[in-house]
């Protein structure tokens, strides 16, 4: 768990310091002599996501920035660090969170509403989001996004869901 916290702290610090679509990815690693070293990595790129399960999105780009490899300190399966962008007045289609994953989303910029839906897709509520909000998604959570008048930028972290 300690490794997870350190990893998330480092990635959030990197992402906050970087512009929306550019920047370096630096991994702080340990060399054979036990010294911390900075290793430049190639970050992933954002790609248009035209639909989710056949339901169209509007102005949604998404991509993996980096995968923290599995290790014995954290949750065992590693962490995917994702980056998302939704154009002003864009939307992300209704979708379900995967069964084996907890997703943590950090809002960098933008405002709008995330819909809360039942498994049949019926909307029963919504949550307003704004910069610096953190939203935790448990597995099987149905939701969609309707963005406001400014671009929505976010970081997401895919992690293995806790075992019950």
């Amino acid at each position: 768990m300690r490794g997870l916290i350190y990893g998330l702290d480092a990635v959030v610090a990197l992402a906050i310091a970087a512009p929306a679509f550019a920047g370096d990815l630096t991994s702080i690693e340990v060399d054979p002599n036990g010294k911390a070293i900075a290793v430049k990595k190639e970050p992933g790129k954002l790609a248009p996501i035209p639909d989710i399960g056949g339901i169209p999105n509007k102005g949604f780009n998404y991509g993996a920035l980096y995968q923290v490899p599995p290790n014995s300190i954290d949750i065992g399966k590693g962490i995917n660090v994702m980056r998302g962008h939704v154009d002003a007045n864009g939307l992300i289609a209704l979708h379900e969170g995967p069964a084996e994953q907890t997703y943590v989303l950090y809002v960098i910029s933008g405002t709008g509403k995330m819909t809360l839906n039942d498994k049949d897709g019926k909307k029963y509520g919504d949550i307003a989001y704004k910069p610096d909000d953190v939203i935790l998604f448990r597995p099987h959570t149905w939701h969609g996004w309707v963005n406001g008048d400014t671009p929505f930028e976010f970081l997401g972290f895919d992690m293995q869901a806790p075992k019950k």
Side-chain angles (χ1 to χ4, degrees):
M1 186 62 164
R2 182 179 55 199
L4 168 66
I5 292 168
Y6 292 145
L8 287 177
D9 286 347
V11 172
V12 168
L14 284 171
I16 290 170
F21 294 103
D24 295 328
L25 175 60
T26 304
S27 177
I28 306 303
E29 301 178 7
V30 179
D31 75 8
N33 298 317
K35 292 183 178 180
I37 58 170
V39 179
K40 294 288 186 187
K41 303 282 185 174
E42 185 65 35
K45 305 287 186 218
L46 293 179
I49 309 295
D51 66 77
I52 298 176
I55 303 171
N57 296 309
K58 180 181 172 188
F60 179 38
N61 293 277
Y62 194 64
L65 290 179
Y66 186 69
Q67 180 178 25
V68 178
N71 63 62
S72 62
I73 297 172
D74 65 25
I75 55 180
K77 288 192 175 180
I79 302 166
N80 292 316
V81 180
M82 312 301 289
R83 180 73 186 240
H85 167 90
V86 181
D87 291 342
N89 302 307
L91 62 89
I92 301 173
L94 173 67
H95 60 283
E96 177 184 19
E100 296 181 4
Q101 160 184 306
T102 295
Y103 189 82
V104 179
L105 183 139
Y106 173 76
V107 179
I108 297 170
S109 64
T111 60
K113 295 193 181 214
M114 180 189 76
T115 64
L116 303 174
N117 305 79
D118 65 20
K119 64 181 178 178
D120 297 320
K122 183 178 177 186
K123 179 184 162 187
Y124 60 85
D126 55 42
I127 304 288
Y129 64 86
K130 63 188 180 321
D132 291 327
D133 282 354
V134 175
I135 303 169
L136 174 66
F137 296 89
R138 299 291 185 186
H140 300 292
T141 54
W142 283 91
H143 60 283
W145 300 84
V146 179
N147 195 30
D149 294 335
T150 59
F152 171 33
E153 303 286 343
F154 64 92
L155 285 176
F157 305 91
D158 295 333
M159 296 173 273
Q160 178 184 359
K163 303 292 182 201
K164 292 185 179 180

